[in-house]
Structure formats: structure tokens, C-alpha cells
Amino acid sequence: DILIHCKGTYYNKAFEEASLKDWDDCMNTNTRCLVHFTSLCIPFLETSKGNKSIVILTTETKDRPISGELLYAVSKVMARFFY
């Protein structure tokens, strides 16, 4: 069985333009749902027979963020270090 995380939302705002709501929305979509859905699926993965995998898709933005992508890049770094 496989759990594939590919959900994400993109925010293209400079740090000084981003509101706390923007940060919350980005983190809730790109990281919090990752934690929540993984915690829901682990009991099923533990009882399944055969190979088990959790796959988290991210982007290169986490390695080389460009101007205006701070929110998105931070959320993808968090996702990268989740596993």
C-alpha cells in the first residue's frame, strides 16, 4: 500500500506583503494536512500486508527559493523534513 502526498498551494508574495492569514493558509495546506493525513493512514499501513510506502512530493523551491516564494519554500522545507 502507498500513501502519496501531492497536495499544495502556492503563494507568490514577498515577506512584507504576506499576512499572518497567508502564512496560516499556506502552512495548513502544505504541512498540517500532511501530518494529519499521515496520522490517519498509519494504522491502515501498519495492518496491510506487503510493502508499505509514504511518498511526499515537493519541489526544488525548497532548495533554491526565488524572490517572492518564501511562504511556499518554508512550507516545502517542512514537508521535506517530515519524512
Side-chain angles (χ1 to χ4, degrees), residues 48-61:
S48 69
K49 296 180 177 160
N51 296 330
K52 304 159 192 140
S53 297
I54 297 174
V55 177
I56 302 170
L57 302 177
T58 63
T59 65
E60 297 229 352
T61 298

Side-chain angles (χ1 to χ4, degrees), residues 1-81:
D1 290 323
I2 278 183
L3 169 61
I4 299 176
H5 289 287
C6 61
K7 175 70 175 128
T9 188
Y10 178 77
Y11 281 81
N12 188 11
K13 290 187 175 183
F15 177 78
E16 58 275 6
E17 296 171 359
S19 69
L20 190 54
K21 181 174 180 347
D22 293 331
W23 279 94
D24 286 343
D25 290 346
C26 187
M27 295 303 149
N28 284 341
T29 302
N30 294 348
T31 59
R32 188 171 182 191
C33 71
L34 173 78
V35 173
H36 180 68
F37 286 117
T38 300
S39 67
L40 292 175
C41 290
I42 284 179
F44 297 102
L45 290 172
E46 289 177 335
T47 60
S48 69
K49 296 180 177 160
N51 296 330
K52 304 159 192 140
S53 297
I54 297 174
V55 177
I56 302 170
L57 302 177
T58 63
T59 65
E60 297 229 352
T61 298
K62 67 182 174 30
D63 298 321
R64 291 185 215 116
I66 60 173
S67 180
E69 293 185 344
L70 180 65
L71 278 75
Y72 183 72
V74 168
S75 71
K76 290 304 179 177
V77 166
M78 292 174 71
R80 164 63 179 93
F81 286 101

